[in-house]
Amino acid sequence: MSTVYTIERFILEQQPDYARGEFTNLLYDIALSAKIIASKTNKAGLVQILGEAGGTNIQGEDQQKLDVYADSIIMRMCDHTGRLCAMASEEQEEFITIPDRFKKGNYVLVYDPLDGSSNIDVNVSIGTIFGIFRCVDWNLRGRVEDILQPGRKMVAAGYVLYGSSTMLVYSTGQGVHGFTLNPELGEFLLSHPHMRLPEPPAYYSVNGSYFHRWSPGTQKYLRWLQGEIEEETPNLSSRYIGSLVADFHRNILRGGVFAYPAETLKPEGKLRLLYEAAPLAYLIQQAGGHASDGVRPILDIEPQEIHQRTPLFIGNSRLVQKAEQFIREEG
Ligand code: AHG
Ligand code: MN
Ligand code: MN
């Protein structure tokens, strides 16, 4: 019988000998949060979890009930465990400190509790994105300096995809590994070890309805992706789901590029650096690809504020570098 690798066993086997288990236990906490959120998303149509929560988040976006629910699950699973010194969530304006009554830990968790909210009510895949840093100063309780770290400083990143099956994909810097939830067992089992971007890539993912608001270089890039410009034309098909996690997951498995460029109404792009772009940039680098804002690597960008947005080009390196070339040449 082939080895059945639960995520717990896999994490433990990847844990370096000197580790004390704090980091490992944080990954367990995230996996448990994912199971709880998955149990709600899989029957979202049946329980009163659909629709708008009636509030708006810091982004000014209408919060879906599932946004708020997922945010509260992750925060409550992680705020008292003694693993963290601070957290930051897409759904909360300020960063989250650990209440004084709880022991403080040495890691920082940044997360988008529910990505692809616009797809919840139409039964299209949605996800959770997370990144983990070390606290900057282990002697102090969480400060904003612990949150505003560049992706290069991440020690782990991953996402959960609530789709035809629930998957948890993560990396601690030793490759990207995917686990599929077996609902009967309630266990994440290793299903996609050592995920690497395949060549040649198969897809490009972009919302072309913004074309008229892009820069000339970005417009030229889309035409290149579509094979209109004879210059090592890629032979790609178009897929765009509107859930970053779902588009990213398909592209990491089949090869491709996802782009959410800047445009006249969103000069900084739409996606958030800290808990969307940077964690996925960490993963794509581990899978042999690249992520850029069109000018520089996403992982090098020093966040100035928690909800800072960034343009994003992420996927097979050659496809991303081509975006940088056209933007460099044409603006
Ligand atoms: P979130 O639901 O966390 O706000 O993220 C939505 C994001 C991302 O998932 C997706 O790629 C993008 O919004 C889609 O934006 P457009 O509808 O403008 O294409
Ligand atoms: Mn999101
Ligand atoms: Mn979200």
Side-chain angles (χ1 to χ4, degrees), residues 56-168:
T56 56
N57 62 13
I58 169 64
Q59 336 277 343
E61 296 159 342
D62 292 336
Q63 284 178 312
Q64 301 297 317
K65 288 176 187 163
L66 215 47
D67 281 323
V68 174
Y69 175 79
D71 181 46
S72 70
I73 288 293
I74 294 171
M75 194 170 76
R76 284 187 290 127
M77 291 303 294
C78 297
D79 70 353
H80 61 286
T81 57
R83 328 249 211 244
L84 299 175
C85 70
M87 287 185 266
S89 164
E90 179 192 72
E91 299 304 325
Q92 302 197 37
E93 181 169 359
E94 302 301 330
F95 74 94
I96 304 155
T97 54
I98 302 306
D100 291 339
R101 65 183 183 282
F102 297 136
K103 184 168 108 32
K104 148 192 112 61
N106 297 317
Y107 292 96
V108 180
L109 176 66
V110 296
Y111 63 95
D112 175 1
L114 205 91
D115 174 69
S117 306
S118 62
N119 282 322
I120 294 172
D121 291 6
V122 294
N123 201 16
V124 168
S125 298
I126 50 183
T128 296
I129 307 171
F130 65 90
I132 300 172
F133 296 98
R134 285 193 186 83
C135 298
V136 170
D137 183 331
W138 286 24
N139 301 311
L140 299 175
R141 292 192 82 88
R143 302 171 300 153
V144 73
E145 293 83 345
D146 295 310
I147 303 290
L148 300 181
Q149 299 188 55
R152 197 93 42 216
K153 294 274 184 64
M154 266 178 193
V155 293
Y159 59 86
V160 185
L161 182 60
Y162 311 101
S164 47
S165 63
T166 298
M167 277 196 71
L168 194 157

Side-chain angles (χ1 to χ4, degrees), residues 37-59:
I37 296 167
S39 72
K40 265 290 196 264
T41 53
N42 292 345
K43 43 184 177 291
L46 301 173
V47 297
Q48 275 53 50
I49 198 76
L50 283 182
E52 299 192 347
T56 56
N57 62 13
I58 169 64
Q59 336 277 343

Side-chain angles (χ1 to χ4, degrees), residues 261-330:
E263 43 109 334
T264 47
L265 299 184
K266 301 184 200 110
E268 296 305 316
K270 172 183 185 181
L271 300 172
R272 277 61 50 140
L273 170 64
L274 191 63
Y275 41 75
E276 289 177 311
L280 298 183
Y282 178 95
L283 288 173
I284 207 76
Q285 183 182 54
Q286 283 289 314
H290 182 50
S292 167
D293 66 355
V295 175
R296 57 197 161 147
I298 290 289
L299 292 177
D300 290 347
I301 303 176
E302 296 268 354
Q304 301 308 308
E305 57 100 31
I306 295 174
H307 302 289
Q308 171 173 335
R309 297 175 191 268
T310 178
L312 178 63
F313 300 84
I314 187 166
N316 289 65
S317 297
R318 187 174 80 85
L319 298 178
V320 174
Q321 283 150 10
K322 206 68 182 173
E324 293 176 327
Q325 175 197 326
F326 286 134
I327 290 170
R328 193 169 47 248
E329 292 167 355
E330 317 264 341

